[in-house]
Every structure is written in structure tokens, then in C-alpha cells.
Amino acid sequence: MNAEQRARLVRLNRLEKIRAIAKQTAAREAAEAESTLSQLRMLSDRTGRLAADYGARRGAVDGASLQTLTGFVSGLGSLTRTTQADAQRAEAIADAKLRMLGEAERRRAAVEERARLEAKLIARSAETTVLGSRKQTGTDLE
């Protein structure tokens, strides 16, 4: 049975390595999703500021320039709303990736714990049983 236990321990260690790689992959994907989210939020803020700045301009000299400015501001507003929606989707994806990272870590930790317990069991079964001391008979004077 000792060989069976050792084979199980080897398998558990191999599985723990695989789970560690899966965790690294999940961490990389979560980092990429967070980066995308950050970039989309910055873009959304920037286009929003541009739309507000251009919308506040009052220097139109004729109707054509006012119409051009209004169309440009409207386009920036549309771009801002689209970018905000993209940022919301990116946030949902980033949250999901972080949950996946947490799950990957829990799976890796569970296998690591099982491997640790198996190694402890093997070590315990490999120990020789310590026999107690013999009962003394007689007195200390003998």
C-alpha cells in the first residue's frame, strides 16, 4: 500500500502544478481585463470632458458653424455613451475574471492540502513504532 500512497502523492503533486499554472493563467487574464477596464474608463472620461468643453463654446459666428459644432458635440456624446457601455461590459468581464482567479486559487490550495495530508500519512506510516520501556521490577538498589 505504500507504493499506492506514493503514486497518489506524485499524482497530487502533478495536479497541484497544473492547478498552479491554471491560477497563473487566470491571474494574467484578470490583469488584462482590469487593464482594458482602466483604459476604457480613461477614454470615457476624456471623451466626456471633450464633449463638455466643446458644448460650452459660444463662439459660433453663423448658423453653419453652430450646426457643425452641435453635430460634433453630439458625436462626442454618442462616443462617450458607447465607451461607457463598453466600460460597463469590461467591468463585468473583469469581475468574472477575478472570480475565476479566486476559484483557481481555491482549487490549487485544496489539491496542495490533499498532497500535504498524503505526505503526512506516508511519513507517519514509514515511522517505526516506538515501544515503551520495560516495566521495572525490583528496587533501585539492585
Side-chain angles (χ1 to χ4, degrees):
M1 183 154 136
N2 201 7
E4 258 182 50
Q5 288 175 327
R6 290 188 191 283
R8 179 176 165 81
L9 179 60
V10 167
R11 193 182 112 262
L12 285 171
N13 285 332
R14 206 171 29 239
L15 184 57
E16 195 273 331
K17 288 178 185 177
I18 291 169
R19 297 280 166 90
I21 291 168
K23 178 190 165 204
Q24 288 174 349
T25 301
R28 182 182 40 78
E29 289 175 358
E32 289 172 357
E34 287 292 329
S35 174
T36 300
L37 173 60
S38 175
Q39 289 173 358
L40 284 170
R41 282 182 177 161
M42 286 182 357
L43 184 61
S44 175
D45 291 345
R46 186 171 179 199
T47 55
R49 283 191 311 271
L50 282 172
D53 290 346
Y54 276 101
R57 289 188 177 183
R58 302 288 177 231
V61 291
D62 58 8
S65 62
L66 179 61
Q67 186 176 11
T68 302
L69 179 63
T70 304
F72 183 68
V73 170
S74 175
L76 282 175
S78 176
L79 183 60
T80 300
R81 287 186 297 280
T82 301
T83 308
Q84 286 172 342
D86 289 344
Q88 287 175 344
R89 280 190 298 278
E91 184 175 15
I93 291 169
D95 289 345
K97 295 290 183 180
L98 286 174
R99 279 192 303 278
M100 290 171 60
L101 174 59
E103 291 170 7
E105 171 55 21
R106 283 189 293 280
R107 285 191 301 269
R108 188 209 58 77
V111 170
E112 179 183 47
E113 178 66 16
R114 287 178 21 212
R116 188 184 64 73
L117 291 174
E118 189 70 26
K120 195 175 187 181
L121 183 65
I122 290 171
R124 191 177 303 147
S125 68
E127 291 177 357
T128 58
T129 307
V130 177
L131 299 176
S133 64
R134 293 179 38 189
K135 183 177 178 184
Q136 290 186 349
T137 58
T139 64
D140 290 333
L141 300 174
E142 294 177 3

